Amino acid sequence: MYGRYGSDTLNKVLIIIYTVVVVVSTVLSLFIDSVWFSFAYFAISITLIYVIFFRMFSRNIQKRRRENDKFCGFFKLRRNKFRDRKTHVYKKCPHCKAVLRLPKAKGKHTVICPRCKNRFNVGR
């Protein structure tokens, strides 16, 4: 495995999805006797296995790390939004699309984006 990416959070989630697909397809195959149904679940499971092994044995470590960071960042932002829902609001900068965490306040306010220094109005 030297020089290969290995496993990360995204791969673990893909393995869980693969397991769920296999279990669901096995249970449903007891009730549904169709060639197309079996082929569809077989194709989905083979595709998931291919993606898992492709990511695991990839030599492009930076690209796989960016994929995992993007995946984990999505859920981290959702968790933070839920945690701060009473005290803060999250807005995107219209220029650079950076997500800004702003304190909740009534009325219109002008905000300066720390990334691109763009000024924009927030509020009603």
Side-chain angles (χ1 to χ4, degrees):
M1 288 294 290
Y2 182 75
R4 306 292 183 163
Y5 184 63
S7 187
D8 59 2
T9 305
L10 180 55
N11 262 9
K12 291 174 187 173
V13 170
L14 288 174
I15 290 170
I16 291 169
I17 292 171
Y18 169 77
T19 306
V20 169
V21 165
V22 168
V23 168
V24 168
S25 67
T26 305
V27 170
L28 288 179
S29 68
L30 298 172
F31 301 108
I32 300 173
D33 191 27
S34 171
V35 174
W36 293 107
F37 177 77
S38 300
F39 178 74
Y41 274 107
F42 177 74
I44 291 170
S45 62
I46 291 297
T47 304
L48 281 171
I49 286 292
Y50 174 77
V51 170
I52 290 167
F53 280 106
F54 174 79
R55 293 191 79 254
M56 194 177 295
F57 292 113
S58 175
R59 290 184 185 258
N60 194 347
I61 294 172
Q62 287 78 24
K63 191 169 184 178
R64 301 291 90 77
R65 189 170 289 149
R66 277 193 309 256
E67 290 171 355
N68 188 54
D69 290 344
K70 196 172 196 178
F71 174 76
C72 292
F74 174 79
F75 291 105
K76 185 177 180 182
L77 178 64
R78 297 295 174 261
R79 184 189 72 213
N80 290 344
K81 278 185 176 183
F82 182 75
R83 181 193 65 204
D84 299 336
R85 69 188 179 277
K86 294 181 181 178
T87 59
H88 291 83
V89 63
Y90 286 79
K91 296 288 182 181
K92 276 190 179 181
C93 173
H95 187 258
C96 69
K97 306 297 186 225
V99 179
L100 306 176
R101 180 178 171 249
L102 306 169
K104 275 191 177 178
K106 293 183 179 180
K108 278 192 172 182
H109 302 283
T110 302
V111 177
I112 300 173
C113 177
R115 183 187 289 177
C116 68
K117 308 297 184 221
N118 182 35
R119 290 180 177 264
F120 62 97
N121 292 327
V122 175
R124 297 176 192 225

